[in-house]
Amino acid sequence: MNLSSTEQRPLISIEHLCFKRDDRVILDNVNLEVRRGDFVAITGPNGGGKTTLLRIILGLLKPTSGSVTFGIHRPSIGYLPQKNMIDSEFPVSVREVVKSGLLGIKDLSPQEREQRTEATLAQIEMEDLADRPIGRLSGGQLQRALLGRAIISRPHLLVLDEPLSYIDKHFEAHMYRLIAEIAPKCTILLVSHEMTAIASMANRHVIVDRSVTECTAHHHYAQSECDGCV
């Protein structure tokens, strides 16, 4: 089957991207293409620039030089940030956090928004905590609420930054199933130090340590397998 020119173009093209903070080089000459349907597992040392790269792709940071461009138009994006970037004292409930992922989507009726919200609360197993303020959640519960916000819009691109942080073992297994269910329907960029289970779902593995290197070891990922790629 022949692909259209739109489908052939990368979803994300990153070219000669550099980012400096003060006099420190965080990212240096990063080049990466992400295709539609890719599941990219991203790892690398602390301070290597993984979260910075995600935030530049999301438009939350401006690169010092270089560019990030999207295919024909910018895709809809769901984003699960690291927990430490969230103000847990903000007076908002789990339901409101999840539903906020629909902001900016104009073609849903109020009834459809409610149905989508309730369905997503069930997906993340938080129906019983829907009205609890996020300040009264455990770290793992807050992570689940933020995951709900990221997936409720059924985005074209899902960006997950350390999604297993603070998650208990029960929900960790459920999150694996959720991500496996979502993966065929969108493009995923996932940063994690714990790659063994999730990376078996990925079709690409990338190491970020100031520069970006793609690892050729697929489906049986371990850091030792990629040491030669760094």
Side-chain angles (χ1 to χ4, degrees):
M1 182 175 66
N2 293 327
L3 295 177
S4 70
S5 59
T6 300
E7 291 170 318
Q8 289 175 336
R9 295 178 68 171
L11 182 69
I12 306 168
S13 296
I14 300 171
E15 296 181 332
H16 307 298
L17 187 144
C18 298
F19 183 81
K20 295 180 181 179
R21 181 174 288 120
D22 299 324
D23 291 327
R24 182 177 169 228
V25 177
I26 309 296
L27 295 169
D28 184 24
N29 196 32
V30 169
N31 295 278
L32 182 68
E33 287 189 347
V34 178
R35 300 177 292 272
R36 287 169 179 78
D38 273 349
F39 187 146
V40 185
I42 302 170
T43 191
N46 288 333
K50 301 183 298 297
T51 294
T52 298
L53 178 61
L54 293 188
R55 289 173 65 81
I56 290 173
I57 291 171
L58 292 164
L60 301 175
L61 287 176
K62 185 177 180 181
T64 305
S65 61
S67 64
V68 177
T69 56
F70 296 95
I72 299 300
H73 53 78
R74 185 178 176 86
S76 60
I77 300 175
Y79 175 41
L80 173 65
Q82 291 185 13
K83 173 183 170 291
N84 60 12
M85 295 182 179
I86 301 300
D87 180 6
S88 60
E89 298 304 314
F90 193 73
V92 64
S93 69
V94 169
R95 178 179 279 105
E96 290 168 322
V97 167
V98 171
K99 193 174 183 179
S100 70
L102 295 175
L103 293 174
I105 299 179
K106 299 177 181 178
D107 58 350
L108 289 177
S109 69
Q111 183 180 13
E112 288 172 322
R113 290 175 187 275
E114 293 305 320
Q115 290 172 344
R116 186 84 68 88
T117 300
E118 295 308 311
T120 304
L121 286 167
Q123 268 189 301
I124 60 174
E125 299 184 342
M126 296 196 77
E127 308 103 301
D128 294 343
L129 299 175
D131 297 316
R132 180 172 294 186
I134 61 171
R136 292 177 50 207
L137 298 177
S138 69
Q141 289 167 341
L142 177 57
Q143 193 80 339
R144 285 155 58 185
L146 296 174
L147 175 65
R149 182 183 68 175
I151 66 176
I152 190 172
S153 65
R154 300 171 187 168
H156 298 122
L157 173 64
L158 183 60
V159 180
L160 305 172
D161 195 355
E162 299 289 356
L164 300 181
S165 300
Y166 310 99
I167 296 292
D168 62 45
K169 288 298 178 184
H170 162 73
F171 194 80
E172 183 177 313
H174 184 64
M175 183 175 279
Y176 293 147
R177 293 193 297 272
L178 262 180
I179 292 173
E181 178 185 319
I182 293 165
K185 305 170 187 174
C186 71
T187 303
I188 296 178
L189 303 180
L190 184 148
V191 167
S192 182
H193 289 99
E194 302 175 46
M195 282 294 184
T196 50
I198 285 184
S200 64
M201 307 176 204
N203 69 311
R204 298 175 66 187
H205 300 112
V206 168
I207 298 168
V208 179
D209 185 7
R210 200 161 85 163
S211 61
V212 166
T213 306
E214 185 152 4
C215 180
T216 57
H218 293 302
H219 303 301
H220 297 285
Y221 182 91
Q223 183 63 52
S224 60
E225 294 179 41
C226 288
D227 285 345
C229 303
V230 178

